Amino acid sequence: MIPELRQLIEELRADLADQPASLAWAEFGEGAAIDAVPVGLPADLRDLLLAADGLRGGRVELASTSTLAGMQYHLDYAPDFSSIPEDRAGWLVVGTRSDEPIFMDRGTGAIWYFPPNGTEWFMSDAFEELAPDLGSFVDYYLLGPGYAELTPADDRWFAYLDEQGLLDEDDEDVT
């Protein structure tokens, strides 16, 4: 994880701690202890867990060390057309978007999802790459203007991102 993204996470965590009501719409965990991070995780995910053991902003939530294993059941429901059933071990569920899984390709580190198309994700006929890596995903989709592309932009997290000046596309050169 690049230092600028780590610093942004720390600044937002401190700001959110000053807003007790924020627990309803955002929560940034403290970094995990190195021995609490499961062995064998991709480097990007390991770095994120060490910086923030779980991140939730509005309708997007990234796993913590304690919830990561419990999210993997989503792999069992991936549609046959996706590459997940062929290589289940090559994928990792790293979080959710409105209760729908967000996947990491273990080989490339790319972040994937089933885009909304009017049907449940497990019956979807589309599976798309969202970001080339986890840092880019966090920077653009969780902490930046891409949040509105993933979810309705009418929630408190979107308003908070706007208040923080994080929705300006010109400022998105962190990753």
Side-chain angles (χ1 to χ4, degrees):
M1 173 180 303
I2 64 169
E4 294 87 353
L5 184 55
R6 181 183 291 270
Q7 180 179 347
L8 178 59
I9 289 170
E10 290 171 5
E11 290 170 4
L12 293 175
R13 179 179 27 238
D15 186 64
L16 290 167
D18 292 338
Q19 301 181 39
S22 70
L23 290 178
W25 47 268
E27 190 170 3
F28 285 35
E30 293 291 330
I34 198 158
D35 60 340
V37 179
V39 176
L41 292 180
D44 279 0
L45 181 55
R46 183 175 183 75
D47 289 347
L48 181 62
L49 291 169
L50 292 171
D53 192 10
L55 288 171
R56 180 170 43 89
R59 293 175 176 96
V60 176
E61 185 167 355
L62 295 179
S64 66
T65 55
S66 64
T67 62
L68 186 63
M71 296 180 133
Q72 301 314 304
Y73 75 90
H74 287 96
L75 295 168
D76 295 334
Y77 297 97
D80 289 340
F81 82 88
S82 72
S83 55
I84 294 172
E86 296 170 14
D87 181 23
R88 189 176 188 276
W91 294 90
L92 186 64
V93 178
V94 295
T96 58
R97 172 191 58 87
S98 299
D99 297 324
E100 296 184 358
I102 297 170
F103 300 88
M104 175 185 272
D105 180 329
R106 285 180 180 261
T108 67
I111 303 300
W112 289 69
Y113 82 133
F114 292 94
N117 63 3
T119 186
E120 297 290 335
W121 71 270
F122 51 84
M123 297 186 311
S124 179
D125 60 0
F127 187 52
E128 298 176 4
E129 182 176 321
L130 265 175
D133 55 64
L134 187 58
S136 298
F137 174 81
V138 170
D139 182 47
Y140 186 75
Y141 290 102
L142 181 62
L143 305 179
Y147 180 76
E149 296 172 28
L150 287 182
T151 67
D154 63 350
D155 66 11
R156 183 63 186 107
W157 180 246
F158 184 82
Y160 178 77
L161 292 174
D162 192 29
E163 291 165 11
Q164 298 298 313
L166 295 172
L167 298 179
D168 185 359
E169 296 269 354
D170 295 337
D171 294 337
E172 291 302 310
D173 296 330
V174 172
T175 57

